[in-house]
Amino acid sequence: MHRLLGLETEYGLYVEGVDVSDLADEARAVVQSFSGPCAKRWDYRDEDPLKDARGFRATQLTFNPEDIKYEKPTGKHLSAREDHVDHILTNGARLYHDHAHPEYSTPECRTLADLVAHDKAGERIVWACAQTRARQAHREISIYKNNTDFHGMSYGTHENYLVRRDLPFDWLITALLPFFVTRPLFAGAGKVGCEDSRVQGVPFQLSQRADFFTEICSVDTLHRRPLINARDEPHTDPRMYRRLHVIMGDANMSEYATALKVGTTSLVLSAFEQGFLPTIVLRDPVRAIKEVSRHLSGPWLVELDDGRTMGAIEIQRTYLKAAQERFVERDDETKWILKEWETVLNDLETDSSRLADRVDWAAKRQLLESFIESENLSWQDEALFSLDLEYHNIDPERGLYYALEQQGAMRRFVTDQKVRDATEHAPSDTRACLRGECVRKFGKFIEALNWGRIWLNHEDKIVEINLRNAFDGRVKDLYREINESSTLAELVRKIVQK
Amino acid sequence: MPDRVIKPAEPWGKPDDGGEGGPRTPDVNRPNTDKLLERMRRVDPRAARRYRQRSGE
């Protein structure tokens, strides 16, 4: 791909006998069970979640009033470091606690293969932590890679795309909405039921997250969630780039679905960067994503601003055509995306059950239908919620997605060996390898670090390695310097000389 | 449960350098429905009722 990509996953956590109000402590304990080499001092100075990409600063973030009921007054204010218990790993990833969830942010990747491998590596790392914690606490712990607790609480799987800053953000909002609203057709993870109490008669829907969006655009993520998140934290040169922080997607268990979700979105952004501007304007995007999600078969009609309707597949084909016209000969991953995108849309049009070997909602639906038939149940049976949850269990011996994968029934995108490698090694073609190598070689000297900078303590002086403009050749040069330095003094000498 | 017909996915790009040659393309195209159902029957039907989370991002 021609851009930096990353995924952040907040994992669902169930600890036998532990109340939801104690989950933050448990999530921290899971993260702190990480036993590999790492650095632990994350620096927050470059973060500003109130900064809005539309050119202003929000006054505050909104919080879910239902969730606040679970806050336990401890009388103790935790610093950001105490709260998040950050672990920065040799693979360049960040493992931490956020809002009572273990969270894993992949390192920056340039290829879909690396991104999918690191996403799956995150599952293995979090699961290993949970196992360690379970042994220590003598309690059963389950970890779920999903986005809902079926009781109205959602947690996110965020995508990150480095985008040219000269694309006006307002323009991006308009251009992305029809694509995002219809993307659950192949990127939805599927969900039993509906978490909008006003809506009845939705036994199963395409998306885990669609029920939770109420706004078109804002910096919020915890409550009153928007389809387009406007958080302006580029973690790189803000004059050149923005980081598009996508919060409307689902957590995918399917490697194929992760690859197609991120790959198509990246190509759509590339088309925008080359001047493509779709003419589709939706009347009510928030309503539209829910309507798309709540229908299991076509035509998935969406109302346009001029009163006409348009099928969701036709909307997707508009973006596909723009990408085909521009990128058909670009590289192997792009060719894969274009071919699979078209195939998936064709399958949706003819027989969506064909997608059960690739697309999470279709795989989950087929599993549940087989169970309903076998056990003579109805879609209203409570057990279906539990089976939905278990599809996302990342324990390979329990998770239902993994039951399918182990039988060879789900298409893979990467090998197990590549996932294993990703648990320890960063992609070699992004700045993540600089972070990872510093943690590996000079971890005990790291004073602090974040996505864009590393601060090393050398003889009580702080030396900064700036990664904010580290791309391509600069990554290679810096990596060579770190790799070839046998001592910190040698590395510092090379950095200072520049 | 209908039998799945898994079409061979076209390998894209170069082979992984991992050496193991893991399963890029499924080599079993008909999942054992009985095994899947057995695993599903082991799931506690009330697990989701107990499952409560804090609101995340």
Side-chain angles (χ1 to χ4, degrees):
Chain A
M1 302 304 296
H2 291 217
R3 72 177 74 253
L4 288 187
L5 309 162
L7 287 170
E8 312 157 36
T9 303
E10 290 177 332
Y11 286 91
L13 169 66
Y14 177 77
V15 184
E16 185 185 24
V18 169
D19 185 75
V20 63
S21 59
D22 291 317
L23 276 182
D25 290 339
E26 291 297 327
R28 282 188 206 99
V30 167
V31 170
Q32 286 171 315
S33 299
F34 181 78
S35 59
C38 63
K40 293 188 177 179
R41 292 173 68 89
W42 191 259
D43 189 282
Y44 297 88
R45 79 184 70 173
D46 295 329
E47 298 184 11
D48 183 1
L50 293 176
K51 191 174 179 197
D52 194 302
R54 291 168 292 180
F56 57 90
R57 199 162 183 281
T59 52
Q60 61 180 12
L61 299 175
T62 60
F63 292 90
N64 185 334
E66 288 300 309
D67 184 66
I68 289 171
K69 293 176 187 169
Y70 295 130
E71 286 288 344
K72 276 175 86 172
T74 60
K76 184 184 169 199
H77 174 72
L78 296 180
S79 69
R81 278 185 185 159
E82 289 170 325
D83 183 29
H84 291 305
V85 293
D86 293 288
H87 290 58
I88 302 90
L89 316 187
T90 58
N91 66 0
R94 180 185 174 204
L95 170 68
Y96 57 115
H97 153 259
D98 206 10
H99 300 283
H101 301 273
E103 179 157 353
Y104 184 86
S105 297
T106 68
E108 303 89 332
C109 299
R110 280 188 76 99
T111 68
L112 292 180
D114 278 346
L115 188 70
V116 171
H118 279 276
D119 182 54
K120 285 290 169 184
E123 288 184 28
R124 293 186 184 200
I125 288 166
V126 172
W127 184 58
C129 290
Q131 283 187 304
T132 303
R133 172 62 185 162
R135 282 193 297 272
Q136 289 167 346
H138 305 291
R139 284 185 165 132
E140 189 179 318
I141 296 181
S142 300
I143 302 282
Y144 301 99
K145 189 187 184 193
N146 73 342
N147 302 107
T148 181
D149 73 349
F150 304 101
H151 296 90
M153 292 298 178
S154 184
Y155 34 98
T157 302
H158 298 173
E159 305 147 49
N160 296 287
Y161 303 86
L162 198 66
V163 180
R164 273 174 26 193
R165 175 65 73 167
D166 60 4
L167 277 180
F169 196 74
D170 285 339
W171 189 88
L172 260 183
I173 297 169
T174 308
L176 275 170
L177 278 169
F179 175 71
F180 278 165
V181 161
T182 52
R183 199 182 67 165
L185 289 179
F186 55 83
K191 179 168 80 172
V192 172
C194 176
E195 286 168 279
D196 181 339
S197 58
R198 298 164 301 181
V199 177
Q200 302 294 317
V202 180
F204 185 79
Q205 57 177 309
L206 307 188
S207 164
Q208 295 241 311
R209 286 278 269 183
D211 288 339
F212 298 102
F213 296 103
T214 58
E215 315 297 319
I216 289 179
C217 181
S218 82
V219 292
D220 280 311
T221 53
L222 287 160
H223 187 51
R224 298 180 61 83
R225 293 185 181 89
L227 290 169
I228 306 279
N229 184 250
R231 185 184 295 180
D232 191 3
E233 284 178 345
H235 300 315
T236 182
D237 186 343
R239 296 163 302 179
M240 298 288 292
Y241 302 103
R242 63 174 85 251
R243 174 179 63 114
L244 182 69
H245 184 231
V246 177
I247 70 164
M248 54 69 63
D250 287 359
N252 291 109
M253 297 300 294
S254 160
E255 296 176 1
Y256 176 102
T258 298
L260 195 63
K261 170 180 72 178
V262 176
T264 54
T265 306
S266 183
L267 280 191
V268 164
L269 292 168
S270 294
F272 295 163
E273 287 169 335
Q274 292 200 4
F276 167 63
L277 177 62
T279 55
I280 304 162
V281 180
L282 305 182
R283 169 157 289 183
D284 184 346
V286 171
R287 194 179 71 194
I289 193 171
K290 298 175 200 299
E291 287 178 353
V292 169
S293 179
R294 292 168 190 169
H295 288 87
L296 300 184
S297 58
W300 291 291
L301 292 177
V302 173
E303 191 175 7
L304 305 183
D305 197 43
D306 61 9
R308 290 181 301 132
T309 56
M310 190 169 183
I313 295 173
E314 191 184 349
I315 291 175
Q316 281 290 319
R317 287 196 193 282
T318 304
Y319 289 88
L320 168 64
K321 182 167 178 284
Q324 285 170 329
E325 286 169 356
R326 289 163 176 82
F327 311 120
V328 73
E329 293 299 328
R330 202 161 75 166
D331 54 60
D332 287 339
E333 286 203 339
T334 300
K335 288 176 190 167
W336 181 89
I337 298 162
L338 292 173
K339 179 173 175 292
E340 296 301 326
W341 193 358
E342 184 166 27
T343 303
V344 160
L345 296 180
N346 291 344
D347 286 346
L348 281 162
E349 245 166 12
T350 52
D351 179 5
S352 64
S353 70
R354 288 181 187 162
L355 300 173
D357 64 351
R358 288 159 278 167
V359 169
D360 282 307
W361 72 260
K364 187 187 288 181
R365 181 188 182 191
Q366 196 170 84
L367 266 180
L368 296 176
E369 284 176 342
S370 72
F371 194 75
I372 288 169
E373 187 183 328
S374 158
E375 311 301 304
N376 198 23
L377 303 177
S378 78
W379 271 104
Q380 279 65 48
D381 197 283
E382 180 186 21
L384 300 185
F385 292 94
S386 300
L387 292 168
D388 180 341
L389 183 63
E390 205 64 10
Y391 179 88
H392 299 269
N393 192 327
I394 62 172
D395 179 344
E397 292 180 4
R398 290 176 53 201
L400 297 179
Y401 166 79
Y402 282 109
L404 289 171
E405 189 185 282
Q406 285 151 15
Q407 295 199 13
M410 297 302 293
R411 293 195 192 183
R412 300 286 305 271
F413 196 77
V414 292
T415 63
D416 285 334
Q417 182 63 45
K418 190 166 176 69
V419 177
R420 274 196 293 276
D421 288 347
T423 61
E424 294 184 17
H425 302 287
S428 60
D429 53 358
T430 75
R431 66 185 184 182
C433 70
L434 309 175
R435 189 181 310 115
E437 194 64 4
C438 271
V439 170
R440 190 188 317 278
K441 286 192 76 169
F442 303 114
K444 63 182 177 182
F445 300 108
I446 291 177
E447 183 70 16
L449 74 175
N450 62 25
W451 294 114
R453 300 195 270 179
I454 302 169
W455 292 271
L456 296 161
N457 188 331
H458 176 54
E459 296 175 349
D460 290 332
K461 288 183 181 165
I462 303 300
V463 177
E464 178 184 321
I465 303 179
N466 192 327
L467 312 181
R468 290 161 77 86
N469 286 309
F471 299 98
D472 306 326
R474 175 79 177 135
V475 167
K476 279 185 189 168
D477 291 346
L478 269 172
Y479 185 81
R480 196 180 314 113
E481 287 172 3
I482 296 167
N483 191 252
E484 291 176 359
S485 297
S486 53
T487 65
L488 180 62
E490 190 180 339
L491 175 62
V492 168
R493 198 162 49 244
K494 288 174 185 170
I495 293 169
V496 171
Q497 278 172 354
K498 297 201 167 197
Chain B
M1 183 176 183
D3 286 335
R4 288 175 191 212
V5 180
I6 308 293
K7 297 175 199 165
E10 278 192 19
W12 52 269
K14 297 173 191 167
D16 280 316
D17 54 3
E20 187 190 62
R24 171 166 296 134
T25 304
D27 52 9
V28 177
N29 62 4
R30 290 184 182 181
N32 184 325
T33 306
D34 290 340
K35 273 190 175 176
L36 286 172
L37 288 171
E38 194 49 47
R39 194 141 153 179
M40 285 193 273
R41 286 188 194 108
R42 287 202 298 267
V43 175
D44 179 349
R46 290 173 300 178
R49 188 192 298 182
R50 289 193 301 270
Y51 182 66
R52 296 283 180 144
Q53 296 293 293
R54 298 288 304 271
S55 177
E57 292 201 307

